Amino acid sequence: MAGAPTDRIPLYTIALPVIGVAAWLVIGKAGLEPLALLLVAALLGNVIAAVHHAEVVAIKVGEPFGAIILALAVTTIEVGMIIALMLTGEPNPALMRDSVHAVVMLVVHGLAGLCIVVGAIRHRESEFRVEGANAFLAVLIPMATLVLVVPNFVVSAPGPYYTPLQLTFVSIACLALYGAFLFIQTNWHKDYFLAGRDDVAEVAPPSGRMALASFGLMCVSLFSVVVLAKSLSPALLEGVGAAGAPIAIAGVIVAAVVLLPETTAAVRAAAANRLQSSLNLALGSAVACIGLTVPTVAVVAWWIGQPLQLGISPGATVLMGLGFLVAIITYGTGRTNVLSGIVHLVLLAAYIFYIFAP
């Protein structure tokens, strides 16, 4: 989070939200046409602007609250994109499953693996707090299992679905786990997520007026992202179909877009030998994604009468289980090297490969 300027608000972060909302009002929904490229550029720009303002607010409040604000901003973007796609075109009951699964795999293996490799190239070994990493995994593993695996084994509903009662329970369970995690992260065991002076960004906190302005601009940027996602939904679905790609790749695209700016912040922290901040950003995004996205999308799905297909395939289950096992080994030592990062990146490559060659 040290990269965000705290003495001024960059002009582009003010202009982009306005441009995004204006583009949505003028263009509306876009298919596979040149105007879609303009909306894509505006969408990506607003994602970056939203996370920039979240970083400014995060610096003001300090760690670990800063990582929480960033995770909540990213989760808001993801929820908006999922709901926009759900309300566009043919029903896609597996969209939330694909998006949540993609976030878990991209974070646990892609983002974390990249940060470990970058840190190893610059510093050979990087250190972090084992207690903090284990706390993330202790919440992330049961959340992912309840949402993505257990639906394949319940008998109250056919196929990889939950009954409304079961989905309600799982949504409440995810909220409870996330709430308990936040309590631990911000109260009793806040020190688990701090790594000492080397992990603190050497940057002056912004003034109260600037932090308040950034908070307001962050809200406008998030709104712009959501409405632009709705405008681009037809183009995304048409593009996936025209390319002959598996429909699951739409979930990967959603996850990649919302994680893009946070990836920049996490890699920057890893390069500065602040791997703890990288893990807080990466794993915190995955925990917030499941803890908040699942209940929110479940309510929307119930409201519009669309079922949610949640269970992943047996092969994906095995790969995710292997990934969590490797993560437990990686985060159980308190220090990482380049081998750990390469292993995680290979598992990410396997996940992407098996989407196209199941």
Side-chain angles (χ1 to χ4, degrees), residues 140-225:
L140 183 58
I141 292 175
M143 277 185 175
T145 303
L146 284 172
V147 174
L148 301 174
V149 178
V150 175
N152 291 321
F153 298 95
V154 295
V155 297
S156 299
Y161 294 89
Y162 275 134
T163 65
L165 179 62
Q166 290 171 332
L167 185 57
T168 300
F169 170 79
V170 170
S171 298
I172 294 173
C174 288
L175 282 174
L177 286 171
Y178 186 61
F181 175 79
L182 286 183
F183 178 76
I184 292 297
Q185 189 180 22
T186 59
N187 285 276
W188 282 8
H189 299 293
K190 184 166 64 173
D191 57 306
Y192 287 0
F193 306 92
L194 303 175
R197 290 182 300 175
D198 290 339
D199 193 60
V200 179
E202 296 180 1
V203 59
S207 65
R209 175 183 293 183
M210 183 173 176
L212 185 61
S214 288
F215 178 78
L217 288 169
M218 179 186 72
C219 294
V220 178
S221 299
L222 292 175
F223 173 77
S224 181
V225 168

Side-chain angles (χ1 to χ4, degrees), residues 215-242:
F215 178 78
L217 288 169
M218 179 186 72
C219 294
V220 178
S221 299
L222 292 175
F223 173 77
S224 181
V225 168
V226 172
V227 296
L228 286 172
K230 184 172 179 60
S231 296
L232 278 169
S233 298
L236 174 59
L237 296 176
E238 289 177 23
V240 171

Side-chain angles (χ1 to χ4, degrees), residues 1-4 51-52 54-55 63 66-67 70 74 111 114-115 118 259-272 274-282 285:
M1 292 180 295
V51 177
H52 166 84
E55 285 184 341
E63 288 286 1
L70 285 168
V74 169
L111 182 49
L114 180 60
C115 289
V118 169
L259 289 174
L260 177 62
E262 199 153 51
T263 298
T264 303
V267 172
R268 191 166 56 221
R274 295 184 288 112
L275 186 61
Q276 184 65 55
S277 291
S278 296
L279 295 181
N280 289 347
L281 289 167
S285 296

Side-chain angles (χ1 to χ4, degrees), residues 2 18 38 48 87 134 150 272 302 304 355 357:
V18 178
L38 176 62
I48 295 172
L87 299 176
N134 285 341
V150 175
W302 169 79
I304 65 177
I355 290 179

Side-chain angles (χ1 to χ4, degrees), residues 213-340:
S214 288
F215 178 78
L217 288 169
M218 179 186 72
C219 294
V220 178
S221 299
L222 292 175
F223 173 77
S224 181
V225 168
V226 172
V227 296
L228 286 172
K230 184 172 179 60
S231 296
L232 278 169
S233 298
L236 174 59
L237 296 176
E238 289 177 23
V240 171
I247 191 62
I249 204 66
V252 178
I253 294 173
V254 170
V257 169
V258 300
L259 289 174
L260 177 62
E262 199 153 51
T263 298
T264 303
V267 172
R268 191 166 56 221
N273 202 23
R274 295 184 288 112
L275 186 61
Q276 184 65 55
S277 291
S278 296
L279 295 181
N280 289 347
L281 289 167
L283 298 179
S285 296
V287 170
C289 165
I290 301 181
L292 300 177
T293 300
V294 171
T296 304
V297 176
V299 170
V300 174
W302 169 79
W303 182 263
I304 65 177
Q306 179 173 316
L308 292 177
Q309 182 179 339
L310 293 177
I312 57 178
S313 67
T317 301
V318 172
L319 187 59
M320 189 175 72
L322 173 62
F324 280 135
L325 177 61
V326 172
I328 291 172
I329 297 173
T330 298
Y331 303 134
T333 60
R335 60 176 61 233
T336 61
N337 55 48
V338 68
L339 176 61
S340 301

